[in-house]
Every structure is written in C-alpha cells, then in structure tokens.
Amino acid sequence: MSREIKRIAVFTSGGDAPGMNAAIRAVVRTAAYNDLHVYGISRGYEGMIDGELSRLDVRDVGNIIHRGGTMLKTARSQRFITAEGRKMAYESLLAYDIDACIAIGGNGTFTGADIFSKEYDIPFIGVPGTIDNDLYGTDFTVGFDTAVNTAIEAVDKIRDTADSHNRLFFVEVMGRNSGFIALSTAICTGAGSVLIPEIHTSIEELIDLLKKGVKRKKLFSVVIVAEGHPQGGAAQIAQKVKDAFDYYDTKVAIIGHLQRGGSPTGFDRLLASRLGFAAVEALLQGKSNVMVGLVHDSISYTPFAEAIKNDKPLNNDLVRMAEVLAI
C-alpha cells in the first residue's frame, strides 16, 4: 500500500539551469491544488543537512517563471556523500514531517537521491534540470534549450568578426562530457565543423576539412568544440591546428557560464512546468525513485539507476546532417 503523502519538500541541486524556477513554481502550485504542504529546501543537500527548510505557498512562487537561476539556491555537497551527512539530512526531514521529496537537478543529484531514499525509505521524484541534456530517459532536460540559444546568439556575433577578418574561430561551449549543446549550436549557426566527445575526430581530419574549405575559397570558418572533448578544450585544439595549418588568423572564444544564466526560453518554461506538475502527480500515484521525463512529447518515468548509468545517445541523423551541411 502506498504511503499517504501530506508534506513534500522540493530542492534544486548541482549546477543551476534556466527553468528551475518554473519547475519549482509548478511543484508548489500543483501541490497546493492537491492540498499538500510544500517546503522549500535552500542550497540543495547542504541545506537539507543544515535544516534550511521553509514553507512555500502559491504567493511565494509568483513572478518567478521568467527568472533564471533558482530561488532556492543550489550547491554541491561533500557532506551528503557520507553516511553521517545523510543521517543529519534525514533528521532534518523528520523534524518537518516530510513524507516525500522532489529533487531538481542532474546526475549527481539523482545519485544522492537514489542512495538516500533507499537508506531511509523516503520517496524521491527527480526533475531533470541540467543544461547538458545528458540524462537518459528524457528527450530534453530543463535548461538545455536556453543554453543552446545563448550559445547561438554568441556564435552569431563571432561569425560577424570572423567574416570581417578572415579568421578561424574555435568556440568552446559547455556540456560536460556530452556533445548535445555543441551539436545543436553547430547546426543552428552554420558552423564549419563540430568536435564532440561522442564522435572521434582527429586533428588531421579537422585540418583536411578546413583545407577543403580553403579550396572552395571559404573566407572564414567557425568550429564548435564541446568542453569535454578528449583532444582538449578549444584553446588546446586551436593551437594544434595553428601549428600545422596557418592559413587563417586563428582565435578562440569560450562562452562558459553565460550558458547557465538568463531568462529561460518558452520551451524551457513549458518543459519545466510539465515536469514539475508530473513530479507531484507521480508522488500521489505512489511512484518513487524515478525521474520524470519527456519522451516523444509524453511524460515518462525512468528509475534513477537507469537515468544515471545509461548513456543517452546522440541523434545520428543530426550528426550526419551536421557533416553534410558544413561543406
């Protein structure tokens, strides 16, 4: 028999992602609609350990759907990795009579939730909030679309100066060990090439591609580099290319944490709202230790262990299209 859920806690953990506030808003309002008490935990697992819980109602989440960052703040917790830290977190939840938790975050967040909920038998539902889009069990994660749009805007401006000065730009985008942001950015900006961790591309292959562009009288080029590429970051790869091929004036741009900030796109606001709403309903249906996701425009539920451990494949059609359109 499923336990009765009366009080739930919601928190954000790990790296922030645009749309987290929209997810918090959806959780709080859906819970209120179902006569549940909601508590927000500040600073993720760190705040859970320190007992930083406060009651939230619908007024507390008004006027936040358009804001970047997270109103609950976020942190990475070394203490939660330890059994002692998790025990302290459990005692904090007991003090507020919390029946279940909704965790908004990525791999590390769900790893902690999976361990904790099994140790202390507290239901957890995960909402995928990470710009990297690397979680198995959902087509998109909250924040990914905004991060891509931020990268596109930056690369569009870089193309202007690349065109004006006959330059080769290596532009590094975020994504940790996945190439989702890089691949989408490359396609949407008409980049000459994209280097992602999932596809092996040697420096020699890249140089051959650039030389073909020169033969076609291509006056400039932009190469998108995923930060987790095994050959190194944009600066290291650019230097290797420059040492062997000096036709272009080579420059490097690292977009960095700009991709984490800013107002979420309409897509991310809608996605976050759908997943926050679904997370509360999942708890009321007796589900536990699963991540809510969106697969083929329908809500799906993936056990934490699968969402964390399974590799999320790139769309091979997009990979092939990026290669064709870059000629």
Side-chain angles (χ1 to χ4, degrees), residues 17-271:
M20 281 183 163
N21 280 324
I24 294 167
R25 174 182 179 272
V27 168
V28 172
R29 295 198 169 195
T30 306
Y33 180 85
N34 287 282
D35 295 323
L36 304 179
H37 290 180
V38 190
Y39 288 78
I41 304 176
S42 298
R43 300 187 306 117
Y45 290 120
E46 279 288 284
M48 189 184 295
I49 291 171
D50 293 334
E52 297 178 12
L53 285 78
S54 58
R55 180 75 185 273
L56 297 176
D57 64 27
V58 293
R59 291 183 299 277
D60 296 315
V61 294
N63 201 34
I64 68 168
I65 194 170
H66 63 291
R67 287 168 46 191
T70 163
M71 64 169 284
L72 293 177
K73 311 305 180 185
T74 184
R76 291 181 169 89
S77 177
Q78 291 298 313
R79 289 189 295 166
F80 195 78
I81 295 174
T82 68
E84 294 80 7
R86 293 193 295 274
K87 185 174 185 296
M88 292 173 64
Y90 176 65
E91 290 170 351
S92 295
L93 296 181
L94 280 184
Y96 286 86
D97 295 324
I98 300 300
D99 300 310
C101 291
I102 293 176
I104 305 171
N107 280 285
T109 301
F110 297 161
T111 298
D114 193 37
I115 295 170
F116 183 81
S117 61
K118 289 175 180 176
E119 285 180 341
Y120 293 105
D121 193 28
I122 293 182
F124 270 67
I125 301 294
V127 172
T130 167
I131 66 169
D132 302 331
N133 199 37
D134 58 350
L135 287 167
Y136 178 86
T138 185
D139 292 340
F140 303 101
T141 58
V142 174
F144 169 69
D145 187 69
T146 305
V148 169
N149 276 276
T150 298
I152 290 170
E153 183 178 357
V155 175
D156 283 348
K157 293 177 180 178
I158 288 169
R159 284 176 61 91
D160 291 343
T161 188
D163 186 19
S164 298
H165 292 275
N166 191 35
R167 284 175 174 164
L168 166 61
F169 261 95
F170 287 84
V171 183
E172 182 175 310
V173 299
M174 297 182 81
R176 208 170 55 155
N177 296 317
S178 69
F180 290 96
I181 292 177
L183 179 60
S184 294
T185 301
I187 292 172
C188 293
T189 58
S193 184
V194 57
L195 303 179
I196 55 179
E198 295 89 343
I199 305 295
H200 175 74
T201 304
S202 69
I203 297 299
E204 292 74 21
E205 289 172 324
L206 176 59
I207 291 173
D208 286 343
L209 181 65
L210 293 171
K211 287 180 176 178
K212 290 177 181 177
V214 173
K215 289 181 179 179
R216 296 194 303 273
K217 302 186 183 303
K218 196 170 185 179
L219 298 179
F220 72 95
S221 191
V222 175
V223 177
I224 307 299
V225 182
E227 64 178 350
H229 196 273
Q231 296 269 14
Q236 291 90 342
I237 294 174
Q239 188 59 53
K240 293 176 183 177
V241 171
K242 188 175 182 179
D243 289 342
F245 176 69
D246 61 359
Y247 177 83
Y248 293 108
D249 179 15
T250 301
K251 301 293 182 182
V252 175
I254 300 174
I255 300 176
H257 283 75
L258 282 174
Q259 293 162 94
R260 287 200 184 280
S263 181
T265 60
F267 181 87
D268 271 331
R269 297 182 200 191
L270 178 59
L271 176 66

